[in-house]
Amino acid sequence: MSTPTLQTYYREKVVPALQAKHQYENVHQVPRLEKIVVTSCMGKHPDRKQAVEDAVAEIAKITGQKPAMTYARKSVANFKLREGEVLGARVTLRGQRMWEFLDRFINVTSPNIRDFRGLPSKSFDGHGNYAVGISDQSIFPEIELDQIKRQIGFDLIFVTTAKTDDEGRDLLAELGIPFRATKKADETQTANA
């Protein structure tokens, strides 16, 4: 199997750029992408079991990997939820599939989002990991629009080895994730003009 294009780009361009920017002494200190987790929860749907089956099928098409089911940990009467009942689906992408999914997400899927101005750059968890919610599966090119039974939302979690949010943001930006321009950057550009 050949090495994914984005992985080669990471090794040849991103690692030297991050090493120069953050003054890493060793190449192993440079943050890297560990995994991408795609999750979907169908807790609000009245026909929860069928909704989860639809979500499993959609996630499998999008990622190329069969997702695992997630189950309720405890019963909640107000939500008509029993312990052990199927709630959603989750898949963890690593290695070659992760790089190929990220490449498709950056170059094909993100531009398909309606009125797209970039992804929010504040969705970091304090440890360099980034999460973004996708409200509709139709932006993915693998999904046939006439086959959609219900709208399914996803959470994409990019897990990195970065120690801080700034390092994680720099890593993902160098990889090509289109972050939304911040207001401070906009104000600086306006002042310089």
Side-chain angles (χ1 to χ4, degrees):
M1 292 181 137
S2 62
T3 306
T5 312
L6 196 60
Q7 188 174 9
T8 307
Y9 177 78
Y10 168 76
R11 287 185 189 142
E12 294 174 358
K13 305 274 191 214
V14 176
V15 169
L18 290 175
Q19 207 166 0
K21 184 173 184 177
H22 291 283
Q23 307 297 314
Y24 297 119
E25 293 176 16
N26 190 328
V27 73
H28 297 292
Q29 290 177 300
V30 178
R32 65 184 184 281
L33 193 61
E34 268 188 352
K35 62 186 175 180
I36 298 174
V37 182
V38 182
T39 62
S40 182
C41 183
M42 297 286 123
K44 292 182 179 178
H45 292 273
D47 56 337
R48 195 175 297 130
K49 192 171 184 181
Q50 183 59 45
V52 169
E53 288 175 14
D54 293 344
V56 166
E58 300 287 331
I59 291 175
K61 281 183 197 172
I62 291 166
T63 61
Q65 187 172 315
K66 187 175 185 220
M69 304 266 197
T70 56
Y71 300 93
R73 291 190 199 138
K74 59 183 179 180
S75 300
V76 181
N78 290 344
F79 298 118
K80 296 181 180 148
L81 183 66
R82 291 198 176 111
E83 185 178 346
E85 195 171 12
V86 177
L87 265 185
R90 175 180 65 209
V91 68
T92 302
L93 302 170
R94 287 183 162 82
Q96 193 164 359
R97 278 208 177 116
M98 172 190 74
W99 288 109
E100 288 170 356
F101 176 81
L102 182 60
D103 194 9
R104 284 193 320 267
F105 180 73
I106 292 168
N107 298 314
V108 180
T109 305
S110 297
N112 281 344
I113 298 173
R114 189 181 316 174
D115 299 331
F116 185 66
R117 292 188 185 94
L119 297 172
S121 59
K122 294 185 178 182
S123 301
F124 283 86
D125 68 347
H127 302 285
N129 303 319
Y130 179 68
V132 64
I134 304 293
S135 59
D136 186 16
Q137 79 270 32
S138 65
I139 62 169
F140 291 95
E142 297 87 359
I143 302 298
E144 297 173 29
L145 295 177
D146 57 337
Q147 300 292 321
I148 294 176
K149 295 176 185 171
R150 70 182 79 231
Q151 186 174 349
I152 297 171
F154 301 103
D155 287 328
L156 302 177
I157 299 135
F158 300 91
V159 180
T160 68
T161 59
K163 304 245 185 305
T164 66
D165 285 349
D166 289 334
E167 289 176 0
R169 191 176 294 109
D170 290 342
L171 166 67
L172 295 175
E174 286 288 334
L175 283 171
I177 289 189
F179 288 118
R180 195 175 293 148
T182 59
K183 289 183 181 177
K184 288 180 185 174
D186 293 340
E187 290 168 7
T188 308
Q189 288 174 353
T190 309
N192 292 339

